[in-house]
Amino acid sequence: MTSSSSSSSQWKESPNASTSDETLAKSLSIWPLDAYNVDLLNEVRHKEYDNPTPLEIYDLVVIGAGAGGLVSSRQAARRGAKSCMISSELAGGDCLNAGCVPSKALLRCAKLIREAKKVVANTPNNNEYGISFLISNNNYSEPITTDHHQLEVNVDFPKIMERMRKLRAQIAPIDGHARGDSLGTQTFQGKGVFTSPSTIEVVEHGKKLGDESNPKLNFRKAVIATGGRPIVPDNIPGLNEAPYTTNLSLFNLQQLPKRMVILGAGVVALEMAQAFASFGTEVTVLQRSRLLSKGDDEAAKVIQSTLQDEGVKFLSGVSVHEVTTISQATDDNLPLMSVSLSCAEHTESISLDCECLLLALGRTANVESLGLESAGVDFHHSKGILVNDFSQSISNPNVYAVGDCVADVFRLTHMSGEMAKVVVQNALFKGQWRLSSLVVPAVMYTDPEYATIGKINVDENDNVVSPIENKEELDFYKAELQHNDRAILDSSDKTSFVKICCKKGTGTIVGCTIVSTRAGEMINEVSLAMKHNIGLEGVGRNIHSYPTLGEAVMGCVGAEVGLLVGAGVGCLVGAVVGAKVGLLVGAGAGCLDGAVVGAEVGLLVGASVALYKRVWGCLLALV
């Protein structure tokens, strides 16, 4: 695609940056303006940017520069279409700048700190890992003992945050404007606003809608990929005036809060609760009902128990009455707030003081001020754009939508990217790819991780709708990892499990829950099986490397085969089904109750297999 090139000027580090540049960086929730954040901004949000000259008409115009916008605009260009992307704030969206990338950098440091604390706590007399500490110089070395030294793990929080900024800047070029230009798609900086069902105006920074100098874009097809933002309640007195934190500003912290109160008990809340507790912050999680309110109850209990053991406090049935700002932040100190609330654990209202109040109550779609009415695009004010099974607006067939701005889809980076592929195929190449065909894994990266699988729901008119309660009777198959050899050798996963659910009386997999240190990797095998209609027995017949935690996925098959076949067990390596069951359920060194395989498998999986069968929400366990 031929076009005029854009141009821009470079950001500078403080103290060489101007006051206006520092103000702009803070408004973009990127701070401090050090070398790493300057590198980031020079990739994803140029300071002064001359937009390219618009083409006469575009095959595809994309509003938004997160995962969905990047994939749709660039894939279209790769396949020969005339495309452009409009970036209003930071290219890369929340994932790069305030979500997946920075949070995982913190979680890595947090895990190392927890491991280091384990070693220190067991030094020198009870350290099974063989690690000891020495004071040494060129002349001598002396073992460190608790009789003469107090061992502590020192956490350098500013260094942790610096590492995060460095790695984020390292990843940024893949999402940057220059990368898009090299692939043949134009990048406009500004806010994209529909002015008709087939035109978009790019409102450049500092200008207003209707300014004659704003670029005007004509399109054959358009994609809305404006993402979402954190929910901020408007019914808590004092909250809007308080210096609260969301994921957008959390990663700008340069001082470690002594106390953190987290409002919410979902993925962001629990990941950051564990991380900051590991750093040394006193963390309290406020939950209205229970953890992961829409997730697996057994998984929620395991995760909560783990975090409690690591010092995180939980209050349930919480109603927040008021947030009081005691003092604002200064150059040297974090702000101080007090949260007044009632909860199930206390008969009277209590107040919690904190330096960081993190709001983690979910996300709402960015659909305001986009001119959707002018485009004839139907939407819900908080849920987002209403689309059909082809990711197409239900009211304007030339407009599509992807990612967090879409109603009733999973708000995940990889979901946005996959929806973008669907849109490019359907919008430009007359495809019939359906959202309902997607099998979508989701992972919470606590330790242990929590992974699940879901699918998009559509109604009889092929419109995407909210999840419908599954009233089918299902069979559940569970394998615990406490007897998995790799878990034993790693001294991990003592409460972890894999749970697979199938249509009742069949091996057809319809869902899975995994709690494990490597759940995010393990879930992909199940999602692949679901996508290609591979039944549970087929998963079991897949060879799994030994020793791996992934064998637990295969371990669920032992219950399924025992249920369907009811065969006796011959030998561990025999060709008959019963032998396979013995191998899968026995887990090599012992059965689920720890007994020797030869002594117990015949009893467990042979002629009299005892199974508990329950309906949705319950467990089918092999005993």
Side-chain angles (χ1 to χ4, degrees):
M1 180 177 71
T2 60
S3 66
S4 301
S5 298
S6 59
S7 63
S8 63
S9 60
Q10 299 291 297
W11 291 81
K12 295 181 180 179
E13 299 175 48
S14 298
N16 297 320
S18 66
T19 301
S20 61
D21 285 354
E22 291 184 343
T23 300
L24 176 57
K26 289 179 180 179
S27 72
L28 294 168
S29 295
I30 299 295
W31 191 257
L33 205 51
D34 64 357
Y36 301 122
N37 276 343
V38 163
D39 287 345
L40 171 74
L41 289 169
N42 281 332
E43 290 289 345
V44 301
R45 181 29 169 105
H46 295 191
K47 187 179 69 170
E48 296 176 2
Y49 188 80
D50 293 328
N51 280 317
T53 301
L55 302 181
E56 183 178 346
I57 190 168
Y58 292 89
D59 298 311
L60 192 73
V61 173
V62 182
I63 302 178
L70 290 165
V71 173
S72 54
S73 62
R74 294 177 179 185
Q75 191 171 104
R78 284 192 182 102
R79 299 179 67 177
K82 298 176 181 179
S83 72
C84 70
M85 180 184 73
I86 305 169
S87 176
S88 64
E89 294 184 354
L90 300 170
D94 264 21
C95 180
L96 172 67
N97 300 290
C100 318
V101 169
S103 64
K104 302 313 168 282
L106 265 60
L107 292 177
R108 172 57 175 152
C109 292
K111 184 167 186 175
L112 283 175
I113 290 168
R114 291 193 299 273
E115 294 295 318
K117 287 179 178 179
K118 288 180 184 178
V119 173
V120 166
N122 293 321
T123 299
N125 299 320
N126 189 32
N127 188 337
E128 64 176 299
Y129 297 101
I131 299 173
S132 59
F133 299 88
L134 300 175
I135 297 176
S136 62
N137 58 32
N138 294 331
N139 299 319
Y140 76 97
S141 63
E142 173 189 351
I144 296 179
T145 66
T146 52
D147 295 334
H148 302 93
H149 308 90
Q150 180 64 43
L151 293 179
E152 292 184 357
V153 175
N154 180 57
V155 175
D156 188 340
F157 183 72
K159 195 69 176 178
I160 290 172
M161 300 304 284
E162 181 184 30
R163 174 183 180 271
M164 178 275 294
R165 295 193 297 272
K166 178 180 72 173
L167 298 179
R168 181 173 61 181
Q170 181 180 327
I171 293 171
I174 197 68
D175 293 343
H177 294 357
R179 174 66 173 167
D181 291 342
S182 72
L183 295 173
T185 188
Q186 290 181 330
T187 300
F188 290 85
Q189 274 195 181
K191 183 176 179 62
V193 180
F194 287 96
T195 51
S196 80
S198 61
T199 57
I200 292 172
E201 180 175 326
V202 180
V203 182
E204 296 183 326
H205 299 299
K207 299 179 182 179
K208 295 182 179 180
L209 181 65
D211 192 303
E212 291 184 359
S213 62
N214 287 332
K216 313 298 192 297
L217 311 180
N218 300 304
F219 65 84
R220 292 187 175 93
K221 305 292 181 182
V223 178
I224 304 169
T226 49
R229 63 186 183 277
I231 292 174
V232 178
D234 58 6
N235 60 349
I236 300 177
L239 178 61
N240 287 332
E241 295 75 36
Y244 61 81
T245 299
T246 68
N247 69 292
L248 298 179
S249 53
L250 179 67
F251 303 105
N252 296 336
L253 285 174
Q254 298 174 74
Q255 299 178 49
L256 180 66
K258 179 182 178 182
R259 295 157 296 189
M260 174 183 282
V261 173
I262 303 179
L263 189 54
V267 173
V268 173
L270 299 181
E271 286 184 355
M272 293 301 98
Q274 187 174 43
F276 276 84
S278 299
F279 299 153
T281 298
E282 298 174 15
V283 179
T284 304
V285 174
L286 309 182
Q287 49 187 334
R288 285 175 290 186
S289 52
R290 68 163 176 84
L291 268 66
L292 308 173
S293 58
K294 297 180 181 179
D296 185 277
D297 183 60
E298 186 177 6
K301 291 177 181 177
V302 171
I303 298 297
Q304 178 166 340
S305 177
T306 299
L307 268 61
Q308 285 176 324
D309 290 343
E310 295 173 4
V312 178
K313 298 177 182 177
F314 291 87
L315 297 177
S316 60
V318 169
S319 177
V320 177
H321 304 311
E322 184 179 11
V323 175
T324 302
T325 302
I326 299 172
S327 62
Q328 294 286 349
T330 65
D331 290 341
D332 299 320
N333 296 297
L334 293 170
L336 182 61
M337 291 156 283
S338 181
V339 182
S340 174
L341 59 95
S342 57
C343 62
E345 288 78 7
H346 297 273
T347 57
E348 298 182 354
S349 295
I350 62 171
S351 293
L352 300 175
D353 291 349
C354 61
E355 289 75 21
C356 182
L357 172 60
L358 176 60
L359 306 185
L361 294 163
R363 295 172 65 75
T364 187
N366 290 329
V367 292
E368 300 86 358
S369 305
L370 295 177
L372 297 179
E373 297 85 355
S374 297
V377 173
D378 290 351
F379 66 97
H380 183 277
H381 68 92
S382 61
K383 294 171 65 175
I385 311 295
L386 304 179
V387 301
N388 61 23
D389 205 9
F390 306 106
S391 210
Q392 183 181 42
S393 165
I394 65 171
S395 54
N396 184 341
N398 292 322
V399 176
Y400 294 73
V402 302
D404 289 7
C405 68
V406 180
D408 299 318
V409 302
F410 303 107
R411 288 174 170 170
L412 303 162
T413 294
H414 47 281
M415 183 65 190
S416 300
E418 198 63 31
M419 291 179 73
K421 298 175 190 177
V422 170
V423 163
V424 170
Q425 184 67 25
N426 293 347
L428 301 179
F429 301 100
K430 299 181 180 179
Q432 293 289 304
W433 290 10
R434 292 179 176 270
L435 298 180
S436 59
S437 71
L438 303 180
V439 177
V440 188
V443 184
M444 179 174 71
Y445 295 93
T446 48
D447 185 12
E449 296 173 355
Y450 166 57
T452 60
I453 293 177
K455 296 193 71 174
I456 301 297
N457 296 277
V458 296
D459 62 15
E460 64 277 6
N461 297 316
D462 274 347
N463 293 330
V464 174
V465 295
S466 300
I468 302 169
E469 182 181 357
N470 193 327
K471 296 182 179 180
E472 284 186 295
E473 287 194 358
L474 303 171
D475 290 332
F476 285 74
Y477 307 94
K478 181 182 177 185
E480 297 181 347
L481 273 76
Q482 60 180 319
H483 300 295
N484 175 277
D485 288 358
R486 182 58 182 269
I488 293 171
L489 296 170
D490 286 349
S491 299
S492 68
D493 291 283
K494 294 180 180 179
T495 58
S496 297
F497 63 86
V498 177
K499 188 190 299 182
I500 295 177
C501 59
C502 298
K503 290 184 179 179
K504 188 171 182 62
T506 76
T508 302
I509 302 172
V510 296
C512 180
T513 295
I514 302 178
V515 176
S516 169
T517 54
R518 295 181 178 87
E521 277 74 33
M522 296 164 66
I523 197 73
N524 294 323
E525 176 181 10
V526 184
S527 65
L528 181 67
M530 290 177 62
K531 175 67 176 177
H532 296 284
N533 298 313
I534 300 172
L536 188 57
E537 185 176 357
V539 172
R541 295 183 66 181
N542 182 39
I543 298 175
H544 291 66
S545 299
Y546 173 87
T548 60
L549 298 179
E551 290 179 283
V553 175
M554 184 174 65
C556 290
V557 182
E560 191 265 346
V561 175
L563 171 66
L564 295 181
V565 180
V569 177
C571 62
L572 290 181
V573 295
V576 298
V577 171
K580 179 178 65 175
V581 174
L583 174 61
L584 298 180
V585 177
C591 294
L592 294 180
D593 61 356
V596 177
V597 170
E600 286 294 303
V601 171
L603 173 63
L604 288 171
V605 192
S608 58
V609 178
L611 296 164
Y612 288 110
K613 301 180 184 178
R614 297 181 187 175
V615 188
W616 179 262
C618 302
L619 164 68
L620 177 69
L622 183 66
V623 296

